[in-house]
């Protein structure tokens, strides 16, 4: 009985620690994304999320009190989600994508006022053009 | 300055209220402009379901007055973009 109690104490701590690691990693992640400073090599983040997930699983192996369990589930869930987004984040441009030296294609599109914009109006002016994924 | 995304015009208008960006902000829900530039992402479609069937690769271009492309920068993964200092440095190099 005493042994089980001790094991639960360890498990609970593991669960809480898992959540702390996951939360701290996410905080740093979003801070760096906000500053457009996320490193190309995200290995440190990947390792930290793996550690958080491992600690979370460890909490259940050792058995835990309910709040340690909740923390562990949150940590494993968050860590898995971020590892998933990393795994699908690679971008691939078609080989015939626009390149330096090419001429910009003529195009039309609706602007935010719902009016038709024609790229012809850009003629004679240098342009900075950005394609991005969406407002989220 | 021209921006292109798959957002609808009203979503872009909403965004502009928040960030106050100047310039033309264009809606490309059917990816016609994205495809004209060959910038559709061929990797996994990783965005939330938004009504667009795919998304452009985040890309920054500098184009001169004659329409010639001077500089192109793609994100290798969507979690990383060209930083402002990087783009400003490219602007200084190419438009002086």
């Amino acid at each position: 009985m005493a042994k089980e109690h001790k094991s639960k104490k360890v498990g609970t701590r593991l669960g809480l620690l898992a959540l702390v690691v996951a939360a701290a990693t996410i905080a740093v992640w979003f801070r760096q994304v906000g500053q457009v400073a996320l490193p190309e090599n995200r290995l440190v983040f990947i390792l930290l999320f793996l550690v958080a997930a491992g600690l979370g699983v460890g909490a259940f192996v050792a058995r835990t009190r309910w709040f340690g369990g909740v923390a562990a589930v949150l940590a494993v869930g968050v860590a898995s989600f971020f590892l998933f987004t990393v795994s699908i984040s690679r971008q691939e441009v078609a080989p015939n994508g626009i390149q330096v030296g090419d001429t910009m294609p003529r195009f039309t599109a609706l602007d935010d006022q719902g009016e038709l914009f024609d790229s012809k109006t850009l003629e004679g002016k240098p342009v900075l053009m950005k394609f991005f994924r969406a407002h989220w | 300055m021209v921006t292109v995304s798959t957002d609808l015009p009203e979503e872009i208008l909403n965004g502009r209220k928040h960030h106050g960006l100047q310039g033309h902000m264009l809606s490309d829900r059917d990816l016609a402009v994205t495809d004209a530039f060959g910038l559709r992402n061929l990797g996994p479609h990783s965005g939330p379901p938004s009504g667009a069937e795919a998304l452009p690769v985040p890309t920054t271009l500098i184009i001169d007055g004659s329409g010639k492309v001077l500089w192109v920068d793609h994100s290798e993964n969507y979690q990383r973009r060209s930083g402002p200092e990087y783009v400003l440095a490219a602007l200084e190099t190419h438009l002086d």
Side-chain angles (χ1 to χ4, degrees):
Chain A
M1 205 53 193
K3 197 176 166 194
E4 192 191 321
H5 182 71
K6 197 175 168 192
S7 171
K8 269 198 170 180
K9 216 167 162 182
V10 171
T12 305
R13 282 184 185 162
L14 284 179
L16 295 174
L17 184 61
L19 187 58
V20 169
V21 172
T25 310
I26 285 180
V28 174
W29 173 284
F30 276 115
R31 192 158 172 267
Q32 296 212 354
V33 167
Q35 297 171 341
V36 205
L38 202 68
E40 191 62 57
N41 184 344
R42 290 158 294 173
L43 194 63
V44 176
F45 289 101
I46 293 170
L47 287 177
L48 284 169
F49 282 128
L50 286 174
V51 166
L55 288 169
V57 172
F60 284 104
V61 173
R63 300 187 61 198
T64 165
R65 295 184 64 188
W66 69 269
F67 53 90
V70 170
V73 166
L74 279 173
V76 172
V78 161
S80 311
F81 176 73
F82 270 76
L83 289 170
F84 171 69
T85 68
V86 168
S87 76
I88 59 166
S89 68
R90 197 175 58 82
Q91 301 287 295
E92 202 177 315
V93 188
N96 64 349
I98 193 156
Q99 287 173 7
V100 169
D102 289 353
T103 301
M104 172 173 69
R106 172 95 184 262
F107 62 89
T108 57
L110 290 180
D111 67 12
D112 59 338
Q113 307 295 329
E115 281 166 29
L116 198 67
F117 172 86
D118 188 333
S119 66
K120 204 170 176 2
T121 62
L122 299 171
E123 268 173 25
K125 287 178 264 182
V127 182
L128 177 66
M129 191 161 176
K130 271 192 103 69
F131 286 80
F132 63 102
R133 286 162 48 89
H135 64 282
W136 38 268
Chain B
M1 172 87 191
V2 177
T3 71
V4 181
S5 73
T6 55
D7 284 339
L8 295 172
E10 51 268 32
E11 290 168 333
I12 298 173
L13 190 60
N14 253 332
R16 200 197 276 273
K17 280 179 199 148
H18 290 293
H19 50 61
L21 193 85
Q22 301 291 312
H24 304 284
M25 299 191 69
L26 307 179
S27 167
D28 190 31
R29 178 55 59 104
D30 61 0
L31 296 158
V33 182
T34 300
D35 284 338
F37 283 73
L39 292 174
R40 185 190 286 240
N41 174 35
L42 303 177
H45 180 39
S46 48
S50 62
E53 62 172 281
L55 292 169
V57 172
T59 303
T60 310
L61 300 133
I62 297 174
I63 297 155
D64 74 8
S66 73
K68 201 174 97 178
V69 177
L70 302 178
W71 185 72
V72 180
D73 181 64
H74 300 296
S75 300
E76 282 180 22
N77 72 70
Y78 73 77
Q79 292 167 341
R80 192 182 152 80
R81 315 283 164 84
S82 7
E85 323 75 35
Y86 187 51
V87 177
L88 282 173
L91 275 174
E92 279 183 18
T93 310
H94 291 287
L95 293 185
D96 270 353

